[in-house]
Amino acid sequence: MKLSLVLCVVLVAFSVCSNGAEQTNYEYYTSGGIKSGLRADSVDFTLNGKKITLFSGSLHYFRLPKDYWKDRLLKYRAAGLNTIQTYSPWNLHEPIPGQFDFETGFLNLVDFLKACKEADMFVVYRPGPYICAEWELGGYPAWFLRDPNMRFRSNYKPYLDAVGKYYSKVLSLIDDYQFQKGGPVIAFQFENEFGGIHS
């Protein structure tokens, strides 16, 4: 009895049950072609014109050896989640100004996005520049501190120039992985907790 119940829970977790059919998320939300992405213009979220409830969990790829990604993603999926939220820590991806690393081992963002799709999970991607995440300097590269005039989260030109280069790199990497292009990324959040704390 217990084994059959566990199998039932796992099977349901890997299915979209809102329409009574057993399909993967991608089969259900892309059937008939992709015409739109995630929208919040009614009482419910919709994805490609179909109602969706986001059951999301955080999985920070950079905190986990790459070999563990699949295992953790499948466990999230088996628990009934359909979406992964992840940050990108700028300080790991650009440890030296102008030298980006989005390919080495656990820093391989594209491989992580592919792994999410293979696990039938959507992605809410949050590249910062500030991520908090209980991460050193909120994800900002330490080389910013060499500038005694540095003003984070401001219109200070050297800050904005560096952010612009970082975003250009990030956007070029995730462009092909947007949901509307067949990828897992359904939402993109710039910044984190900006303006949410008042003294």
Side-chain angles (χ1 to χ4, degrees):
M1 179 68 174
K2 287 184 180 177
L3 180 58
S4 61
L5 180 61
V6 170
L7 287 174
C8 178
V9 170
V10 171
L11 288 174
V12 168
F14 278 86
S15 303
V16 174
C17 301
S18 60
N19 64 348
E22 290 189 9
Q23 298 173 297
T24 68
N25 282 321
Y26 285 91
E27 288 170 342
Y28 178 70
Y29 287 104
T30 63
S31 64
I34 301 172
K35 300 174 184 69
S36 64
L38 184 68
R39 299 185 62 96
D41 52 7
S42 67
V43 174
D44 301 303
F45 283 117
T46 59
L47 184 62
N48 198 25
K50 299 174 183 177
K51 180 180 172 182
I52 185 171
T53 299
L54 300 178
F55 296 102
S56 177
S58 293
L59 183 61
H60 303 161
Y61 61 93
F62 53 92
R63 286 184 153 124
L64 200 60
K66 186 176 181 180
D67 290 343
Y68 290 3
W69 290 350
K70 181 178 178 180
D71 172 76
R72 299 311 189 271
L73 288 165
L74 290 176
K75 286 176 178 171
Y76 277 45
R77 190 70 190 99
L81 302 183
N82 60 12
T83 305
I84 290 293
Q85 177 277 130
T86 196
Y87 294 111
S88 278
W90 184 2
N91 57 358
L92 291 184
H93 289 300
E94 192 183 5
I96 297 169
Q99 295 184 22
F100 292 100
D101 182 359
F102 282 90
E103 294 83 32
T104 304
F106 68 95
L107 294 178
N108 196 316
L109 174 61
V110 167
D111 281 356
F112 181 73
L113 296 177
K114 290 176 182 176
C116 289
K117 183 172 181 182
E118 288 169 9
D120 197 33
M121 302 287 281
F122 300 121
V123 174
V124 173
Y125 179 56
R126 304 168 73 186
Y130 175 78
I131 64 171
C132 185
E134 291 66 53
W135 195 255
E136 180 182 312
L137 205 54
Y140 284 124
W143 45 262
F144 268 133
L145 301 177
R146 295 179 192 148
D147 180 348
N149 300 311
M150 179 53 61
R151 308 226 3 127
F152 296 115
R153 303 170 110 178
S154 74
N155 290 330
Y156 182 56
K157 189 173 184 326
Y159 171 74
L160 291 179
D161 289 347
V163 171
K165 291 173 187 173
Y166 171 64
Y167 276 166
S168 292
K169 180 64 175 179
V170 165
L171 293 174
S172 71
L173 289 169
I174 70 160
D175 182 56
D176 289 336
Y177 297 92
Q178 297 175 68
F179 175 78
Q180 289 173 272
K181 294 184 176 184
V185 179
I186 60 170
F188 187 97
Q189 179 187 312
F190 292 100
E191 259 297 344
N192 184 44
E193 302 171 357
F194 189 77
I197 301 171
H198 304 284
S199 55

